[in-house]
Amino acid sequence: RDAAKTYMEPSWTAPSGGDWALYRGGAIHLEGTENVTITDGLFRRLDGNAIMLGGYNRHSTIARSEFTWLGEGAIATWGDTEGYDGTGG
């Protein structure tokens, strides 16, 4: 149970068709948002991303926040490429 392969789960994907993967989630996961502000946040001892901005997000602000002892990234961004599967050359 504790040693299961999590990189094969659907929430882990390869953004560029390369040999690395990114978890599409976080302590805060924003998707399809506008005018969101996160201020004076403290993100400590998380096992993954602190903040994930996925898909469409417009006018997002993350200010004066502290990120320590994270398992992955502080702020991860991932846009959508409709219909792109990496095989078109």
Side-chain angles (χ1 to χ4, degrees):
R1 160 184 83 93
D2 294 328
K5 298 176 188 168
T6 59
Y7 63 88
M8 296 300 286
E9 293 177 3
S11 55
W12 284 86
T13 53
S16 64
D19 62 350
W20 62 282
L22 178 68
Y23 177 65
R24 193 173 178 142
I28 296 177
H29 185 168
L30 302 175
E31 192 151 347
T33 67
E34 293 186 3
N35 303 310
V36 172
T37 300
I38 299 169
T39 306
D40 298 318
L42 174 59
F43 300 88
R44 181 179 292 156
R45 295 193 178 274
L46 301 174
D47 289 335
N49 299 313
I51 300 172
M52 166 56 80
L53 295 136
Y56 174 86
N57 292 281
R58 188 176 188 122
H59 303 299
S60 298
T61 302
I62 302 163
R64 296 189 317 263
S65 295
E66 182 179 344
F67 303 88
T68 59
W69 293 89
L70 301 176
E72 289 187 66
I75 302 168
T77 60
W78 187 312
D80 285 329
T81 51
E82 184 81 25
Y84 178 73
D85 65 2
T87 61

